[in-house]
């Protein structure tokens, strides 16, 4: 496979995953903003922080719902906005058209300019419907890839990009909700910020799965354990790392060569296997998450180097 085609598939998957994750963040922001005292906590700033783009807003300035919707949904200058991600995903798909099924292409192509016609006021008014539209587009694309795409190296590049982007979003969400709202390393627990922690589960579609594992109790330790270490939940960091290791191992077989990215992902899996939730909180969740983000960022660079992206 040409490295350019591999790069297009890898980034197409990342952009689609990012679009859905940003849509889920906006839903989470609305959910938290209606709680008492939300304006004192500046929940929308927390949502923007999860995308890694907080420097767009001046320090100390409150981020409103309109600000967040404009920046995270409509702003073409923001590479993480839903509009930007969908446009870039389609552009990558055009360059890798022969590797996609018809259903995958239609999922990317249908209504691809829909957000061009919205201003902030209209998007805010119709936000739930727009978020449902984005999630449906992404899930349709993902389902088409799962059910119809050949399980060749192209599929492995697609799944690698998706797993990498998903791991980073889960890590960022955990970092925001701990570092911003629960900064103490030792004094954590009780009912404080209960809704903020459960909102992370809802943002990752993990509420029912969590309830199946833990029942009706919700604590920061359990939620962290579930989202970091549970190998059965498809949005957990551990599951994503396992997927990355599996897909990169398959790519090593296709290319009959291993590189730095294969060593890095193996170390990432090994390091995570050594942790339990109690140890994560003793060491500091923020520090653990930052190490995970540095590792995934490095892995992305090494994948690009190994397969000659760009």
């Amino acid at each position: 496979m040409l490295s350019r085609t591999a790069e297009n598939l890898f980034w197409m998957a990342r952009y689609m995953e990012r679009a859905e994750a940003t849509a889920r963040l906006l839903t989470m922001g609305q959910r938290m903003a209606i709680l008492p005292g939300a304006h004192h906590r500046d929940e929308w700033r927390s949502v923007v922080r999860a995308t890694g783009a907080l420097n767009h807003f001046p320090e100390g300035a409150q981020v409103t719902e309109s600000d967040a919707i404009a920046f995270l949904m409509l702003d073409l200058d923001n590479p993480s906005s839903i509009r930007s991600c969908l446009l870039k995903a389609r552009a990558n798909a055009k360059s890798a058209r022969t590797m996609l099924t018809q259903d995958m292409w239609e999922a990317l192509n249908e209504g691809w300019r829909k957000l061009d016609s919205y201003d902030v006021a209209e998007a805010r008014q119709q936000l739930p419907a727009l978020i449902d539209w984005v999630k449906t587009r992404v899930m349709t694309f993902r389902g088409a890839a799962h059910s119809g795409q050949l399980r060749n190296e192209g599929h492995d590049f697609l799944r690698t990009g998706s797993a990498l982007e998903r791991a980073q979003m889960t890590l960022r969400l955990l970092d925001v909700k701990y570092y911003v709202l629960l900064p103490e390393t030792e004094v954590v627990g009780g009912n404080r910020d209960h809704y903020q922690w459960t909102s992370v589960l809802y943002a990752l579609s993990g509420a029912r799965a969590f309830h199946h594992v833990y029942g009706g109790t919700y604590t920061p330790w359990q939620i962290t354990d579930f989202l970091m270490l549970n190998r059965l939940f498809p949005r957990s960091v551990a599951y994503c790392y396992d997927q990355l290791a599996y897909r990169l191992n398959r790519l090593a077989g296709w290319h009959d060569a291993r590189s730095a990215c294969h060593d890095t992902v193996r170390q990432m899996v090994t390091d995570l296997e050594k942790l339990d939730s109690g140890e994560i909180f003793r060491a500091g969740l923020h520090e653990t998450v930052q190490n995970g983000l540095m590792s995934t960022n490095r892995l992305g660079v090494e994948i690009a180097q190994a397969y000659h992206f760009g």
Side-chain angles (χ1 to χ4, degrees), residues 258-295:
R258 303 183 72 83
S259 62
C261 64
H262 298 93
D263 296 331
T264 295
V265 75
R266 184 170 62 248
Q267 190 63 50
M268 288 163 60
V269 172
T270 299
D271 289 346
L272 204 60
E273 286 175 340
K274 297 175 182 177
L275 297 177
D276 60 43
S277 58
E279 184 176 346
I280 290 173
F281 271 86
R282 284 191 298 273
L285 178 56
H286 175 62
E287 290 76 10
T288 302
V289 166
Q290 285 299 308
N291 288 336
L293 286 170
M294 286 190 291
S295 295

Side-chain angles (χ1 to χ4, degrees), residues 1-4 6-7 152-154 156-157 247-259 262 303 306-309:
M1 175 183 288
L2 294 174
S3 59
R4 181 61 178 167
E7 182 179 11
N152 54 18
E153 60 177 314
D156 288 324
F157 278 115
R247 296 297 168 182
L248 287 173
N249 188 57
R250 278 176 55 89
L251 287 170
W254 290 114
H255 291 259
D256 195 24
R258 303 183 72 83
S259 62
H262 298 93
I303 290 170
Y307 297 104
H308 310 292
F309 293 175

